[in-house]
Amino acid sequence: MRVLRDGPCKADLFASLVVFLVALPLCVGVAIASGVPAELGLVTGIVGGLVAGTLPGSSLQVSGPAAGLTVLVYEAVHRYGVGALGALVFGAGLVQLGLGALRLGRWFRAVSVAVVQGMLAGIGLVLVAGQVYALGDATAPGGGLAKLSGLVSLPALLDPVALSVGGATVAVLLLWPRWERGARLVPAPLVAVGVAAAVTGVFGLDVRRVEVRGLLDAVRLPEAADVGRLTEVGVLGTVVAFALIASAESLFSAAAVDRLHDGRRTDYDRELIAQGAGNAVCGVLGALPMTAVIVRSAANVQAGARTKASRVLHGVWLLLFTVVVPGVLGVIPVAALAALLVHAGCKLVPVREVRVLWRGHRGEVVVLVVTATAIVVGNLFEGVLVGLALAVAKTAWDASHVHVETEDRGEAGLVVRVLGHATFLRLPKLLDALEALPRDREVRLELGGLRHLDHACAAALEGWAAGRGQALRATNSFTS
């Protein structure tokens, strides 16, 4: 860990340049994968620096377009059109502002880790399945399940030249970080994309490249008709999904960044307000939704950032690049950006975490796998809801332990003690134990060891006692 000092310095300037170099290809790649113009990804990165970066919350966390929302954004653009994106993002920003104002940010830490990891795994699988097509300049089918099933016939659709470019880009992404000195100076994503652009340009390779429209042409303010669609149930569901998933990703990222330094801890409510303000501005500009991104944030800390000046400056560099040399985007092969996102998607699948959970918490692995599967088969929002419901059910099951002890006192009869939490989930076990007691012996039922007794179990106990010809005569000590 590194102790931070107050006040901007040269370290912040250097860190901002490093974050800019990391963010540039990722902003473009996320935009292309989301089905929107590349410039809109850069707009979101700029807003993440200049708006969210100036507000209080987390001092070193960097915001911008994230791979974690790519699948949801693509589905929304496909369903409602790119024109409605601004209204959706603006609505999500307002929801985040409301959550932050109500001081609900800290409650995002109560979400099951297995659900979050399952969400990331599902996103990663769908992202990889979709971008594998783009590696070979092929068109991916809609829907996560269709993407996976289409992989069988994919080899016949891939362009070998584009696939070679994408494969080489993946190789650079994997090999460049092994040279620690070089990786500290120039981030692997920039090297990989830069090499791909240079090779395809020098050799004149016939591959699909990023289409450049210009910043002003790409930005589209929401129209009244787009804003009016916020009253539709489906649109509102998408807005809530944007807000909740972006908030969860940002706040979990903040917790991870806090572990990387000894400086000021994140104020979760203020950070949520900062994210909401940033998304509201992104919505007004018709850009992608933003979240805090762990890849950029970790690069910021590791590059020596000391204050939030570094993340603000990274937004300045993105703005200057977009204004001064936007044509550079036109030389970037789409296959190289797809490789970048395949690499990012693979990192979202928590393979190591699953191994750890399997050794001690196999029920959590079930929640993770079901959440990821539901996202792949259905969509992101439905998958997360399924995961949350399963996590709650698992917690209820784990908490409802009930134990029945029997003591034989000879002529005085049997003393039966019920301990733990008697809920409907354990009712069959409880009744099986009671009904197995001999009917020719007097039974004294003691419930003083119960920490919780729900209505279903209470009614079942009364029915059991009535069946033995006795009535329950006390709250904590019953005789039948």
Side-chain angles (χ1 to χ4, degrees):
M1 284 211 191
R2 186 170 47 75
V3 178
L4 303 180
R5 292 181 295 185
D6 294 332
C9 59
K10 292 181 180 179
D12 289 316
L13 178 61
F14 175 75
S16 71
L17 291 171
V18 171
V19 177
F20 159 70
L21 295 177
V22 172
L24 179 60
L26 287 174
C27 287
V28 177
V30 170
I32 297 299
S34 300
V36 301
E39 291 85 351
L40 292 184
L42 292 170
V43 171
T44 300
I46 293 167
V47 174
L50 300 184
V51 177
T54 59
L55 297 175
S58 175
S59 59
L60 298 182
Q61 188 162 250
V62 183
S63 300
L69 280 174
T70 300
V71 176
L72 188 57
V73 173
Y74 181 86
E75 291 175 352
V77 170
H78 181 72
R79 181 178 302 176
Y80 305 115
V82 69
L85 180 61
L88 294 172
V89 177
F90 179 74
L94 294 183
V95 172
Q96 288 181 300
L97 287 171
L99 294 174
L102 293 173
R103 303 184 64 80
L104 297 177
R106 67 196 69 184
W107 287 100
F108 280 86
R109 291 180 289 177
V111 177
S112 168
V113 174
V115 174
V116 176
Q117 291 176 335
M119 177 188 77
L120 295 177
I123 291 170
L125 291 172
V126 176
L127 185 61
V128 170
Q131 293 305 305
V132 164
Y133 291 84
L135 275 176
D137 282 354
T139 302
L145 200 58
K147 290 183 176 69
L148 291 176
S149 61
L151 294 178
V152 178
S153 57
L154 178 61
L157 304 176
L158 298 178
D159 177 68
V161 177
L163 184 61
S164 300
V165 172
T169 304
V170 172
V172 174
L173 288 169
L174 295 174
L175 296 176
W176 182 258
R178 296 187 179 184
W179 183 29
E180 295 183 2
R181 184 178 179 182
R184 285 197 300 268
L185 294 175
V186 187
L190 186 69
V191 174
V193 173
V195 169
V199 170
T200 55
V202 169
F203 292 96
L205 300 181
D206 184 19
V207 295
R208 188 160 61 98
R209 290 177 170 79
V210 175
E211 296 181 8
V212 181
R213 297 171 50 183
L215 188 62
L216 294 180
D217 292 332
V219 170
R220 181 181 184 276
L221 304 181
E223 299 177 355
D226 298 325
V227 177
R229 298 197 66 180
L230 292 177
T231 58
E232 300 177 15
V233 176
V235 173
L236 283 177
T238 303
V239 167
V240 172
F242 275 179
L244 295 182
I245 293 172
S247 300
E249 187 169 346
S250 296
L251 297 184
F252 285 125
S253 173
V257 173
D258 282 348
R259 291 195 291 266
L260 298 178
H261 64 83
D262 289 331
R264 184 179 301 172
R265 305 291 94 179
T266 298
D267 184 318
Y268 286 88
D269 297 317
R270 288 187 174 184
E271 178 63 17
L272 197 53
I273 291 174
Q275 295 295 322
N279 272 319
V281 174
C282 287
V284 170
L285 298 176
L288 291 171
M290 58 174 276
T291 73
V293 187
I294 187 60
V295 174
R296 279 165 249 185
S297 303
N300 189 39
V301 175
Q302 293 164 1
R306 300 181 184 278
T307 71
K308 62 183 179 182
S310 60
R311 62 184 190 178
V312 176
L313 285 173
H314 116 275
V316 173
W317 308 140
L318 285 173
L319 177 60
L320 290 176
F321 173 86
T322 306
V323 173
V324 177
V325 286
V328 173
L329 298 177
V331 303
I332 299 177
V334 171
L337 296 176
L340 191 65
L341 291 173
V342 166
H343 183 256
C346 290
K347 285 187 172 183
L348 290 176
V349 181
V351 178
R352 293 181 181 177
E353 289 80 356
V354 170
R355 292 175 180 172
V356 173
L357 285 175
W358 184 254
R359 288 196 291 266
H361 305 278
R362 295 190 176 183
E364 295 294 307
V365 176
V366 173
V367 175
L368 188 156
V369 171
V370 170
T371 303
T373 304
I375 290 173
V376 172
V377 174
N379 58 54
L380 187 57
F381 190 45
E382 293 173 356
V384 171
L385 290 180
V386 169
L388 289 173
L390 184 60
V392 171
K394 175 186 173 297
T395 302
W397 176 263
D398 291 342
S400 62
H401 287 294
V402 65
H403 180 60
V404 179
E405 294 180 352
T406 303
E407 179 184 350
D408 191 341
R409 292 187 177 179
E411 294 182 359
L414 302 175
V415 176
V416 178
R417 301 181 182 90
V418 183
L419 312 172
H421 297 78
T423 71
F424 70 95
L425 293 173
R426 301 290 182 170
L427 187 53
K429 175 183 178 181
L430 177 59
L431 290 178
D432 287 345
L434 294 178
E435 290 170 356
L437 297 173
R439 298 189 64 85
D440 59 349
R441 301 286 302 277
E442 182 178 346
V443 176
R444 181 177 181 81
L445 183 62
E446 296 184 355
L447 304 182
L450 280 178
R451 297 180 180 178
H452 176 73
L453 177 66
D454 70 3
H455 176 71
C457 285
L461 289 174
E462 291 178 356
W464 172 80
R468 294 180 68 95
Q470 298 285 341
L472 297 181
R473 296 195 290 268
T475 301
N476 292 331
S477 181
F478 305 141
T479 302
S480 67

